[in-house]
Amino acid sequence: KQEVTQIPAALSVPEGENLVLNCSFTDSAIYNLQWFRQDPGKGLTSLLLIQSSQREQTSGRLNASLDKSSGRSTLYIAASQPGDSATYLCAVPLLSGGYNKLIFGAGTRLAVHP
Amino acid sequence: DVKVTQSSRYLVKRTGEKVFLECVQDMDHENMFWYRQDPGLGLRLIYFSYDVKMKEKGDIPEGYSVSREKKERFSLILESASTNQTSMYLCASSHRQGLNTEAFFGQGTRLTVV
């Protein structure tokens, strides 16, 4: 059974710091991994989708890496800003009878203070 | 811009009422999902649909039903609303298979049952 874990659960950093959010999964037979951002009371915004054949994916100040063999992904945020404050979730698809549905981690709640 | 639109941001309903939550996507996605999100419990899958008129139960289908009469629209129905169904409801969509199964979410519906 696929399980997704995110560490740390919460993180508070001063503005300008580079930071790393961690995501681990128990079954390495995935074909992609997706990172999301969620602001309080809002829906999820897709940040990055990294394919199983890729090692990294970048979007602006965000960089996601994937190591399937070790069951880990990291989301690197460079030069953090107060506007980055949100909850970050990772998810992997579970193939079930040919249909894919997402298995989510519990998220990392990030606070960036000025 | 890709779009998943939920019909309401906030809803207040009375116990015993029949409640309809609507979701529309404009990306020609085969898959559509309904999740609920509660503090400490994360995202839990209620139902998903992989094609028109097709549906599969998720992890917590009790007290809910769904309808998918058109590809772009997926409705969640609370047959007789109860206070324990007070929650944030999130709709998502994605392509069914292949490499590009990036999921997109709506803005969420905060439902309060009184």
Side-chain angles (χ1 to χ4, degrees):
Chain A
K1 181 187 171 188
Q2 179 72 274
E3 291 182 3
V4 180
T5 304
Q6 290 188 248
I7 294 173
L11 187 60
S12 180
V13 300
E15 182 176 6
E17 270 203 13
N18 301 324
L19 52 99
V20 175
L21 308 182
N22 296 292
C23 172
S24 60
F25 44 93
T26 53
D27 185 347
S28 62
I30 63 169
Y31 54 95
N32 63 46
L33 183 144
Q34 194 167 354
W35 281 94
F36 295 88
R37 168 188 173 133
Q38 186 176 30
D39 294 291
K42 302 279 181 69
L44 277 64
T45 300
S46 178
L47 296 174
L48 289 164
L49 176 78
I50 182 164
Q51 305 290 358
S52 61
S53 58
Q54 296 176 308
R55 297 283 297 195
E56 285 187 5
Q57 186 73 264
T58 297
S59 175
R61 293 183 294 109
L62 305 179
N63 176 276
S65 68
L66 177 63
D67 183 346
K68 275 184 57 177
S69 61
S70 66
R72 292 172 190 260
S73 176
T74 61
L75 180 67
Y76 176 83
I77 303 177
S80 58
Q81 303 171 358
D84 294 329
S85 298
T87 297
Y88 292 81
L89 298 107
C90 65
V92 296
L94 177 68
L95 267 181
S96 174
Y99 324 118
N100 60 295
K101 51 183 181 178
L102 288 175
I103 307 299
F104 282 88
T108 294
R109 191 169 65 254
L110 173 65
V112 181
H113 48 87
Chain B
D1 253 2
V2 295
K3 270 272 180 67
V4 178
T5 304
Q6 295 182 226
S7 53
S8 304
R9 285 292 317 277
Y10 301 96
L11 274 180
V12 180
K13 297 291 182 181
R14 296 194 181 278
T15 302
E17 272 193 80
K18 190 169 186 175
V19 181
F20 294 85
L21 303 183
E22 307 284 347
C23 177
V24 177
Q25 51 96 3
D26 65 0
M27 294 165 282
D28 201 35
H29 284 161
E30 298 84 12
N31 287 344
M32 294 189 76
F33 308 85
W34 276 106
Y35 292 87
R36 64 177 283 177
Q37 186 177 33
D38 301 285
L41 296 176
L43 280 144
R44 293 181 291 168
L45 182 63
I46 304 171
Y47 267 98
F48 70 100
S49 169
Y50 52 89
D51 204 346
V52 176
K53 296 192 187 294
M54 307 304 287
K55 61 185 178 185
E56 290 280 335
K57 292 180 181 178
D59 301 317
I60 50 162
E62 297 78 19
Y64 303 93
S65 63
V66 291
S67 172
R68 191 154 180 214
E69 297 296 318
K70 294 186 177 182
K71 190 175 186 180
E72 67 271 19
R73 187 179 297 269
F74 192 35
S75 302
L76 179 69
I77 303 154
L78 286 66
E79 298 291 342
S80 177
S82 64
T83 54
N84 63 13
Q85 292 178 311
T86 292
S87 186
M88 170 69 97
Y89 289 87
L90 294 164
C91 174
S93 71
S94 72
H95 281 303
R96 179 172 167 178
Q97 291 179 357
L99 290 178
N100 187 15
T101 57
E102 186 173 4
F104 296 90
F105 279 76
Q107 76 276 31
T109 296
R110 169 72 65 185
L111 172 68
T112 303
V113 183
V114 298

